[in-house]
Amino acid sequence: MFKGVALTMMKLAVVSLVATYLTPGSCQIPCEYTPHFYLNNDTCPPKAVCADLTGWIRESPNGSPCEVTTTINCWCNRHTPCPIDDRHIFYVSNRFTQYTCEPKCSFPWCDDIQPAPIAVSREMNSPEFGGNDFSRIECRCQRHHKISVLNRLYGYATLFRRNWSNATHSSQLFVCNPELQKPNRADPCLPINQSG
């Protein structure tokens, strides 16, 4: 009973969010919303992406020039809906955002970790998640905090670095996109120093 009510509340929250979602620089009217709920009632592993929101530039069935699809990947603790709000958003590209159960600012700032760390791992057939795939955020890249206006590969917040595997599963490992990393950029999660 509780799961059904929570899922209905999550759907309403997503519909409310995407009703005003615009793909940057492209759609001037609200996009059509196409819900897509994935997996089942699995609880998210730590630092997992609990929802993906993708906007496409294409004419959708209702004539809208763009379409938004939301994929709910898993539940947060105790079947809490994935928090689809600004405190939990990671910008991946100009058409793709991800959300985590933990607030974005609870993740470390990748720039503070040397040498360059793995920012995101895509876990395949993970025993930690019932043999399913999921993405795990390891740290925040600079572009995770800002919508990219670039369409090509270098507009993505992260870039593929290498594959990794062991006896139970494999991972695709991603690093912060070096084309978008500005030297000495301040962590947006740190409090702004007040002068005077």
Side-chain angles (χ1 to χ4, degrees):
M1 175 82 174
F2 174 76
K3 293 177 186 175
V5 171
L7 186 57
T8 299
M9 291 174 59
M10 185 186 330
K11 289 179 181 178
L12 291 173
V14 171
V15 169
S16 174
L17 171 74
V18 300
T20 57
Y21 178 83
L22 301 178
T23 304
S26 301
C27 302
Q28 300 304 314
I29 62 173
C31 296
E32 178 183 3
Y33 170 56
T34 304
H36 176 211
F37 293 90
Y38 180 58
L39 293 177
N40 47 36
N41 289 322
D42 290 335
T43 299
C44 298
K47 303 187 289 184
V49 172
C50 56
D52 300 294
L53 192 148
T54 308
W56 300 99
I57 309 301
R58 63 183 176 207
E59 187 172 334
S60 54
N62 75 348
S64 171
C66 54
E67 180 179 358
V68 172
T69 299
T70 300
T71 303
I72 305 299
N73 302 314
C74 50
W75 293 86
C76 298
N77 291 337
R78 300 182 182 273
H79 294 286
T80 303
C82 182
I84 301 179
D85 62 47
D86 290 345
R87 291 182 60 239
H88 298 259
I89 191 171
F90 285 79
Y91 295 101
V92 179
S93 72
N94 69 333
R95 299 181 186 179
F96 185 29
T97 55
Q98 295 180 317
Y99 298 84
T100 54
C101 296
E102 302 88 349
K104 176 166 57 180
C105 286
S106 69
F107 291 82
W109 181 234
C110 294
D111 289 8
D112 291 341
I113 305 170
Q114 297 299 328
I118 297 301
V120 177
S121 62
R122 176 75 179 157
E123 307 293 333
M124 271 77 76
N125 304 313
S126 173
E128 184 181 8
F129 196 38
N132 293 307
D133 300 350
F134 74 97
S135 293
R136 186 194 314 272
I137 306 291
E138 302 291 353
C139 61
R140 294 173 289 117
C141 299
Q142 292 179 20
R143 187 57 70 175
H144 279 144
H145 285 268
K146 185 178 179 182
I147 294 174
S148 174
V149 296
L150 304 173
N151 290 312
R152 282 170 251 159
L153 183 61
Y154 54 76
Y156 281 81
T158 60
L159 291 179
F160 174 75
R161 171 59 57 91
R162 67 181 184 274
N163 289 312
W164 175 89
S165 63
N166 65 16
T168 60
H169 77 289
S170 61
S171 304
Q172 293 178 329
L173 305 177
F174 297 79
V175 296
C176 296
N177 187 339
E179 297 290 327
L180 302 177
Q181 292 292 109
K182 305 300 181 187
N184 304 316
R185 180 66 57 88
D187 181 351
C189 290
L190 293 177
I192 298 173
N193 291 329
Q194 301 292 331
S195 59

